[in-house]
């Protein structure tokens, strides 16, 4: 058994995770974590759906941000997928998708403030990078034979529409639907940094200890995603996409002074801004590297390794819940609760 | 059409010569049956000739080249994509024009599969798929037919009626066939390929099937 490369690799990962546990910064800081956890579950079973009239608005905003962000990201990603062979395009896409939605939101908050544009771009930009990569892979896999059988002199656009798109359509549609689901989660999470989506109310309820309110939001969000096949219909999609921009809310107006300040001051490294020149840049940069960046990167890697192995173990344990080989449809559908 | 003088035909795969160098003169009105055992280079020769005559030919490749997700209508319509503007083709993809619909329908009638007009190619049987590729070549309506085993998946009567149709609709044709009797019945000239070279080139009237069998 130990001679199998799969087993060996798995054991190496397990060992790395166990060693990582010794070094990981995972201290629990709450004074009474079990009581908090108990309250949380109590909140989940005693949801309060009528706490705040903002709840339905938050749900609506969550959906609106997801639709606008994913639609823009999908359109941009599709166009990028057509030129994905070019190295600069690939590098650009890798760069924008390497940065998480939340990070993009934090960056845009610096200059657009709480304007809807912040949330929309925070989703659309990294998603465009992801869509570009996956769409281009799907398009690559299209059967090349029909293209060779086309009459010579067929225009490129016609050839693309007749031989590539039909062959890729189902895969692209499935993947886009999946990304829309991810977009709903991203959109909800963006509330944590202050955008008017579900996360904002969730964060507020948690920090005030209103677990029943938080429970209601989590349940509503779960129902929203679980019922997606019912309300996301191909025929209704254009309606959703056209209507969504009108439900993003007003937000706060963009202060163009902030935009200017961000690019001319905030983003400029401190030594340069204070006129210390390049001489001051090196110590500042090494200080930043040693005291902030390196520990941060280290902790990220350690936690990622642990999380990876933990995910693997949970997936293995939960797999029977969703697999055809174990149990009937009812148990398998119940398994989707965890997704 | 003035015929083709195809010379210097050759092809290699990973360093190994598969075809030629050889020449083939195609006269207007020739209905050439390409015979030879499998692996002799018939398919490669068809592809080489297609590259040479390009625009003037209707092609039925061995792999058919159908788009599985598109309907029979659209697969047949693809035979004339170069004759329409891009906007026309794009509109057709969503909503075909009545004129084209009628034309394709008539064509499919002659191949006995009108009821399949809007069936996606993916859900057709092998013989039906082959007839769609044949319909596409007929719809293209070029001067020369280049076909690679066009009736291999059709039963006897259907194979014969399709070969008759191809003979009527194309004045000049080059058809690779493994069925020697079909070649003798529907072609006016037999070209036998052996080891990538022309091993036989005679009017079919002068040949019997045993003459051809020596190639196998």
């Amino acid at each position: 058994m130990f001679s199998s490369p799969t087993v060996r690799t798995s054991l190496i990962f397990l060992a790395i995770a166990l060693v990582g546990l010794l070094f990981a910064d995972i201290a629990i800081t709450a004074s009474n974590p079990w009581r908090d956890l108990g309250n949380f579950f109590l909140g989940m079973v005693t949801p309060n759906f009528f706490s705040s009239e903002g709840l339905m608005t938050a749900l609506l905003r969550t959906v609106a941000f997801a639709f606008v962000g994913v639609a823009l990201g999908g359109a941009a990603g599709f166009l990028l997928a057509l030129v994905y062979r070019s190295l600069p395009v690939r590098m650009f896409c890798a760069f924008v998708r390497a940065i998480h939605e939340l990070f993009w939101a934090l960056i845009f908050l610096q200059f657009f403030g709480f304007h809807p544009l912040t949330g929309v771009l925070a989703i659309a930009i990294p998603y465009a990078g992801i869509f570009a990569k996956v769409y281009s892979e799907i398009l690559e896999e299209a059967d090349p034979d029909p293209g060779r059988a086309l009459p010579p002199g067929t225009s490129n656009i016609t050839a693309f529409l007749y031989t590539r798109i039909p062959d890729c359509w189902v895969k692209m549609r499935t993947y886009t639907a999946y990304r829309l689901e991810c977009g709903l989660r991203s959109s909800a999470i963006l509330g944590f940094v202050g955008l008017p989506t579900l996360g904002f109310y969730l964060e507020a309820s948690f920090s005030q200890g209103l677990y029943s309110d938080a429970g209601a939001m989590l349940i509503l969000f779960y129902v929203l995603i679980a019922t997606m096949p019912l309300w996301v219909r191909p025929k209704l999609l254009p309606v959703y996409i056209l209507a969504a921009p009108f439900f993003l809310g007003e937000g706060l107006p963009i202060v163009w002074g902030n935009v200017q300040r961000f690019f001319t001051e905030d983003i400029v490294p401190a030594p340069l801004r204070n006129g210390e020149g390049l001489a001051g840049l090196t110590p500042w940069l090494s200080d930043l590297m040693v005291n902030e960046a390196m520990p941060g990167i280290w902790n990220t890697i350690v936690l990622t390794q642990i999380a990876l192995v933990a995910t693997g173990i949970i997936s293995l344990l939960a797999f029977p819940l969703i697999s055809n080989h174990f149990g009937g449809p009812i148990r398998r559908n119940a398994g989707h609760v965890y997704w | 059409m003035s015929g083709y003088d195809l010379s210097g035909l050759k092809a290699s795969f990973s360093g190994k010569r598969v075809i030629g160098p050889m020449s083939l003169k195609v006269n207007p009105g020739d209905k050439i049956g390409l015979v030879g055992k499998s692996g002799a280079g018939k398919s490669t020769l068809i592809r080489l000739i297609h590259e040479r005559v390009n625009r003037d030919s209707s092609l039925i490749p061995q792999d058919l080249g159908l788009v599985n997700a598109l309907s029979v209508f659209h697969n047949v319509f693809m035979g004339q994509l170069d004759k329409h503007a891009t906007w026309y083709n794009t509109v057709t993809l969503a909503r075909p024009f009545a004129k084209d619909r009628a034309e394709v329908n008539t064509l499919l009638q002659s191949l006995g599969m009108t009821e399949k007009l809007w069936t996606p190619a993916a859900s057709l049987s092998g013989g039906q798929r082959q007839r769609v590729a044949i319909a596409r070549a007929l719809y293209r309506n070029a001067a020369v037919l280049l076909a690679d085993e066009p009736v291999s998946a059709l039963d006897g009567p259907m194979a014969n009626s399709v070969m008759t149709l191809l003979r009527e609709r194309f004045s000049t044709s080059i058809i690779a066939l493994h069925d020697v009797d079909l070649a003798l019945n529907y072609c006016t000239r037999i070209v036998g390929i052996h080891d990538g070279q022309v091993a036989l080139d005679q009017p079919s009237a002068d040949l019997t099937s045993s003459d051809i069998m020596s190639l196998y």
Side-chain angles (χ1 to χ4, degrees), chain B residues 125-178:
Chain B
S125 72
Q128 289 169 332
R129 290 172 64 83
Q130 203 161 36
R131 276 181 281 164
V132 174
I134 291 162
R136 188 183 59 200
L138 290 169
Y139 188 64
R140 173 142 180 76
N141 206 11
V144 182
L145 170 71
L146 292 174
D148 193 353
E149 301 290 356
V151 295
S152 59
L154 303 180
D155 57 30
M158 185 51 87
N160 278 302
S161 79
V162 165
M163 287 303 291
T164 310
L165 194 61
L166 292 178
R167 189 172 59 182
E168 283 167 8
R169 295 287 293 269
F170 294 97
S171 61
T172 307
S173 59
I174 304 173
I175 306 177
L177 287 164
H178 69 275

Side-chain angles (χ1 to χ4, degrees), chain A residues 54-84:
Chain A
L55 188 56
M56 287 326 279
T57 318
L59 216 53
L60 191 65
R61 298 254 189 280
T62 305
V63 176
F65 272 103
F67 267 100
V68 179
V70 175
L72 282 179
F78 180 76
L79 294 177
L80 286 168
L82 302 178
V83 288
Y84 203 68

